[in-house]
Amino acid sequence: MDLNILVLPGDGIGTEVTREAVRVLRHVAGKWNHPLHIAEGLLGGIAIHRTGSPFPEETARLAADADATLLGAVGLPEFDNCPPEKRPEKGLLGIRKALGVFANLRPVRAFAALLDSSPLKNALVEGTDMIIVRELTGGIYYGTPRGISGSGPETRAVNTMTYTRAEIERVSHVAFRLARGRRRKVTSVDKSNVLENSQLWRRVVTEIAVEYPDVALDHLLVDNCAMQLILNPRRFDVVLTENMFGDILSDEGAVLAGSIGMLPSASLGGRKPSGAWVGLYEPVHGSAPDIAGQNKANPLGAIGSVAAMLEYSFGLKEEAASVNAAIEAVLGSGRVTADLRPSGAPATTEQVGEAVCAAIG
Ligand code: NAD
């Protein structure tokens, strides 16, 4: 299968972890004989420096042409005081919107070798294997009217939480289809005891569930879900929720995995004529200016994002499984970066990438 990939290394450790992710991608493509075509583009701070825009038109064109896009991270401290439209992060919102990726998937697994890295008790975390499906292009982050008006004690801030049936339906289908390839359970999270928005959410998800009689559905209020994620994370298979709840819950999920550097993500939109997802793949972490340029960032979240790309954009399940197994093997070997607190000398970013390739064989 031809793999046409756009790589956007971005800023800071984005360039370092992406280099290792691409190393693994090349290795997999070579081993399974998939012709690989990689284009590289600009996004974020580096794009501002080179073109004046965080999301140049050329990058939009390359992303539209690619089968899938692999992103590092964006953000440079020198832009911290700039207005939002001049910041590198604007590039991230821009590409998500341009690709129409409405479902953000964040797998959260407790790797056996990392149980001690979690602040939670091993017995609670062990065996955790869930995927959080967060609606990514609707809800309160995008709703209008919004803004701050008035003055003095009458100063008022407004945000609007809004969803249409169609928006809820399409992300629900993503969650139910995913559950079919897993343990066949969807937990939908809302605040339907208070919000009309959540009442519609619950009603639509329940209706969609009828089309998937082989998948069990339960509902949790978001406050209870926040508690259950810590008390009983093994109860979750696929967690389906709206934009803001998903933003918060998925960072809580990160604690279960041991380090933010471990977490991959996939943002999916519609399907291409071939049936493949339109996909944007990136580690969850940012550009980490505090460790950038030191060859010590953990590349496993970026490498896990390659596994997600192979599975969701190309349906290459065996290849994806080999990458995930290699990540697990490397964790077990103890050859890991400093954030995972190895007992011996920490490995470099590059050494971890090489070790993953060696473990794939
Ligand atoms: P961050 O994720 O970059 O870093 C938070 C902490 O985690 C830091 O101490 C960092 O060293 C550590 N860390 C992160 N990734 C790591 C890895 N792979 N290996 C080892 N340690 C790792 O978050 P931040 O410091 O809040 O943000 C820094 C910049 O990144 C900001 O400009 C922010 O806007 C941007 N950001 C971008 C994205 C993105 O591109 N998707 C996401 C979050 C933050």
Side-chain angles (χ1 to χ4, degrees):
M1 178 184 284
D2 274 47
L3 311 178
N4 295 301
I5 314 288
L6 172 63
V7 176
L8 303 171
D11 306 316
I13 64 165
T15 58
E16 299 166 57
V17 297
T18 307
R19 194 176 301 128
E20 299 317 310
V22 168
R23 183 195 301 278
V24 171
L25 186 57
R26 287 191 193 283
H27 186 82
V28 169
K31 180 171 172 181
W32 274 271
N33 290 319
H34 300 300
L36 175 64
H37 313 281
I38 292 185
E40 194 168 310
L42 299 171
L43 190 83
I46 185 169
I48 299 177
H49 280 307
R50 299 253 182 99
T51 72
S53 162
F55 181 41
E57 275 174 28
E58 169 72 357
T59 302
R61 192 186 61 73
L62 289 170
D65 288 349
D67 294 330
T69 299
L70 178 67
L71 173 60
V74 299
L76 290 175
E78 69 201 73
F79 294 105
D80 278 355
N81 297 320
C82 293
E85 65 280 6
K86 299 256 187 255
R87 290 182 57 129
E89 291 79 355
K90 184 76 179 170
L92 197 58
L93 298 179
I95 192 166
R96 286 176 179 164
K97 193 163 174 206
L99 290 176
V101 285
F102 59 81
N104 180 239
L105 278 50
R106 288 190 179 188
V108 178
R109 285 183 62 199
F111 292 97
L114 293 186
L115 287 182
D116 289 334
S117 302
S118 169
L120 303 174
K121 291 196 176 83
N122 290 3
L124 281 182
V125 182
E126 202 169 8
T128 296
D129 180 3
M130 76 181 85
I131 183 156
I132 299 177
V133 178
R134 164 189 170 195
E135 201 289 330
L136 200 59
T137 53
I140 199 165
Y141 292 172
Y142 289 89
T144 53
R146 62 186 297 159
I148 302 178
S149 59
S151 60
E154 295 307 313
T155 309
R156 182 180 298 273
V158 175
N159 288 97
T160 303
M161 188 182 221
T162 170
Y163 271 109
T164 62
R165 166 177 285 275
E167 285 172 323
I168 303 169
E169 282 181 355
R170 65 185 183 179
V171 73
S172 300
H173 282 297
V174 171
F176 281 100
R177 284 196 209 110
L178 268 176
R180 277 192 165 155
R182 297 173 49 93
R183 304 197 305 280
R184 294 175 183 264
K185 182 176 174 192
V186 170
T187 300
S188 175
V189 178
D190 61 42
K191 189 71 183 166
S192 61
N193 54 341
V194 178
L195 300 173
E196 285 78 2
N197 218 274
S198 282
Q199 285 162 9
L200 179 66
W201 181 276
R202 189 175 285 215
R203 193 192 314 157
V204 174
V205 173
T206 305
E207 285 170 19
I208 297 296
V210 175
E211 298 177 38
Y212 301 86
D214 51 328
V215 178
L217 169 68
D218 68 345
H219 301 274
L220 275 188
L221 296 176
V222 63
D223 35 357
N224 186 18
C225 181
M227 200 163 61
Q228 297 304 324
L229 273 175
I230 301 296
L231 287 178
N232 187 13
R234 278 191 297 269
R235 86 179 283 294
F236 296 104
D237 179 16
V238 176
V239 178
L240 166 64
T241 192
E242 65 88 49
N243 202 344
M244 182 171 62
F245 298 161
D247 192 3
I248 297 167
L249 294 176
S250 56
D251 269 26
E252 193 184 350
V255 177
L256 300 163
S259 162
I260 192 163
M262 288 300 303
L263 290 181
S265 84
S267 300
L268 307 178
R271 293 199 185 247
K272 298 210 167 196
S274 62
W277 289 105
V278 175
L280 175 67
Y281 300 86
E282 52 180 316
V284 164
H285 62 76
S287 56
D290 54 335
I291 58 166
Q294 298 172 39
N295 199 13
K296 64 187 199 188
N298 183 349
L300 292 176
I303 293 171
S305 301
V306 165
M309 173 190 283
L310 292 168
E311 181 168 352
Y312 301 133
S313 278
F314 300 105
L316 299 174
K317 288 186 186 291
E318 184 186 338
E319 290 84 337
S322 80
V323 174
N324 284 325
I327 290 173
E328 196 134 14
V330 169
L331 290 174
S333 75
R335 195 154 180 69
V336 295
T337 43
D339 55 310
L340 297 177
R341 295 181 285 280
S343 46
T348 63
T349 309
E350 195 177 347
Q351 286 168 337
V352 173
E354 288 167 352
V356 171
C357 291
I360 292 169

